[in-house]
Amino acid sequence: MSLRIKAVVDKFVQELKEALDADIQDRIMKEREMQSYIEEREREVAEREAAWKAELSRREAEIARQEARLKMEKENLEKEKSVLMGTASQDNQDGALEITVSGEKYRCLRFAKAKK
């Protein structure tokens, strides 16, 4: 009888060891799957972050180009204004009209109204 009990106990221990080994293997597989999933998600997040940073950099560069272009256009406008804006005076004894445009002086002794 004791041999029979020993055989039953040995069989139970063997089955328990097999079930335990199977459970351990299952947990190892689940942990690997979870680690793989985490790595994939981290990679996706890093790719999105890199794409976002590249887009941000592109937009910042475009803004810098537009700001430079606007600054240049403003400078050109200021130059045009200074060229177009002149001064006129008629303080001379001979009654001549003096016009100064871009540092150049022009004198007009006779002038007439513009025709419509």
Side-chain angles (χ1 to χ4, degrees):
M1 186 81 152
S2 69
L3 281 177
R4 205 182 233 179
I5 294 174
K6 184 174 182 324
V8 169
V9 169
D10 286 346
K11 184 178 178 186
F12 175 76
V13 169
Q14 183 63 28
E15 289 175 354
L16 189 60
K17 283 182 181 180
E18 290 172 0
L20 195 57
D21 285 344
D23 187 52
I24 290 171
Q25 291 299 322
D26 187 47
R27 288 179 187 225
I28 290 172
M29 289 297 288
K30 285 181 180 177
E31 187 175 326
R32 287 179 183 165
E33 289 173 2
M34 185 59 73
Q35 188 63 36
S36 177
Y37 173 77
I38 289 170
E39 289 171 359
E40 178 66 24
R41 294 289 294 144
E42 286 175 343
R43 187 171 37 259
E44 289 173 3
V45 168
E47 288 172 0
R48 282 200 311 261
E49 182 181 17
W52 180 81
K53 285 181 179 181
E55 179 66 15
L56 178 63
S57 177
R58 187 191 64 75
R59 288 183 180 185
E60 287 173 341
E62 179 62 26
I63 289 170
R65 280 192 298 276
Q66 289 179 1
E67 286 176 344
R69 190 181 81 234
L70 288 174
K71 182 180 176 185
M72 192 168 53
E73 287 178 11
K74 185 177 179 182
E75 290 171 356
N76 288 340
L77 179 61
E78 292 298 321
K79 287 177 187 175
E80 287 180 35
K81 279 174 47 179
S82 69
V83 166
L84 295 175
M85 300 281 288
T87 58
S89 62
Q90 202 171 11
D91 295 336
N92 303 315
Q93 290 178 342
D94 60 1
L97 179 65
E98 283 192 358
I99 301 170
T100 306
V101 178
S102 299
E104 298 283 330
K105 285 191 176 188
Y106 301 92
R107 288 178 50 87
C108 181
L109 294 172
R110 291 186 335 172
F111 56 93
K113 281 188 175 179
K115 294 181 183 178
K116 291 185 178 180

